[in-house]
Amino acid sequence: MSAETQDLALLARESVRALPLYAPEAADDALDLSDSVNLWGTPPAALRAIADPTREHLSRYPSPRSDSLTPALLRYLRLDKTAGVRAVTGCGSDDVLDAAMRAFGAAGDRIAFSAPTFSMVPLFARLNGLEPAPIAFREHFDLDVDRLAATGAKITYLCAPNNPSGTGISRAAVEHVASVATGIVLLDEAYAEFAPESFADLVGRHERLVVVRTFSKAFGMAGLRIGYAAGAASVVGMIERARGPYKVNVLAERAALAALADTSDGLGWVREHARLAVEVRDRVATALTAMGFPPLPSAANFLCVPTVDAARLATRLRERGVLVRQFAGLPREPRPLVNAGGSALRVGIGPWPLMQRFLDAFAEACACE
Ligand SMILES: *Cc1c(COP(=O)(O)O)cnc(C)c1O
């Protein structure tokens, strides 16, 4: 690199220079369980909807704010009859979270969250000049509501079910946070379709609460990059402004609409495969427990396995063509993470034959010394 290009890099904002480049591990022929996408694929109705892009008028801009999609999103969340609620879409829910931080967080403001949580949150926080305020979970991954509130944060981020732990939080805890917070509360429900319940309905009762969802997980459309949020019109309107127009492309909007249609190959497909994922997840959890690696209780389509051996096991799994996400340095609370020295593996769930392949590789990986 020439001296000149180095100098130019120094012109970048300090918060940008300090950021690592997000570079998840990838391998062409590996069984990739490292992110929690839908390993069954994409709803057939969504695939059909984008099969003939010449009919999509690709030469034109999409609607600035996904006008055809937002009513369907509110209907799906059962918020269409709730007065004063509005939906905003984005290029993945990452984009919506980023825009929300930009809309409500001025430089130096705090964003509070229970840690460990979605790794993008502290990253987007720093990029937007916000100060991350991580608060350890309490025992059993309960929210420490008092300490979250005591941060006086402009934004509180909740993730239910939580990534990477997979654990759920209680409705009472969400309501408690929404009633004591002084800023806005972003409730990330990326994995709601796998969870016993959603808290999206609370949006109608708590004006500061915004529920954030995605088509990347249960809906099997991570590659199309589409996410959304719903909340009070006054709050969501600000996220829309910060987000900017045209973030969701024509194909993504059409595919999302098709996947939300109440048909067996649209929403029916999504629900059926979410149910399957939960079934397979519980089978894999039982198998791992029998091998001496009890995962945390999961309400999502992945399992978090606290183990001091996380790094070694991840390497050995990779040698056997299986990719999982490895975590180290997680907060030393609560108990299962303390015992594992803050290390864990996160394993995405897919069709049983793939999981059988994972379990075989895992058995080999922990047997060899
Ligand atoms: C995967 C995930 C998302 C989704 O991100 P997209 O940008 O919509 O793909 C959001 N939040 C959490 C916690 C996730 O794990």
Side-chain angles (χ1 to χ4, degrees), residues 33-120:
L33 308 176
S34 69
D35 49 27
S36 314
V37 294
N38 194 328
L39 293 171
W40 279 271
T42 306
L47 291 176
R48 254 198 335 273
I50 57 174
D52 184 5
T54 54
R55 290 171 49 203
E56 314 288 345
H57 302 296
L58 293 186
S59 59
R60 298 189 193 158
Y61 282 104
S63 65
R65 284 170 289 276
S66 315
D67 297 337
S68 68
L69 184 56
T70 49
L73 294 171
L74 290 175
R75 222 169 15 252
Y76 173 61
L77 292 176
R78 296 177 205 270
L79 290 169
D80 50 323
K81 306 243 162 37
T82 309
V85 168
R86 185 176 173 83
V88 54
T89 59
C91 179
S93 53
D94 279 8
D95 186 32
V96 179
L97 292 168
D98 184 36
M101 289 187 210
R102 218 166 31 251
F104 286 90
D109 281 346
R110 285 198 201 134
I111 175 164
F113 51 87
S114 287
T117 197
F118 188 33
S119 60
M120 288 300 186

Side-chain angles (χ1 to χ4, degrees), residues 92-94 118 157 159 163 188 190-191 214 216-217 225-226:
S93 53
D94 279 8
F118 188 33
Y157 170 85
C159 191
N163 178 7
D188 188 340
Y191 301 97
T214 181
S216 296
K217 306 292 158 62
R225 309 303 304 126
I226 175 161

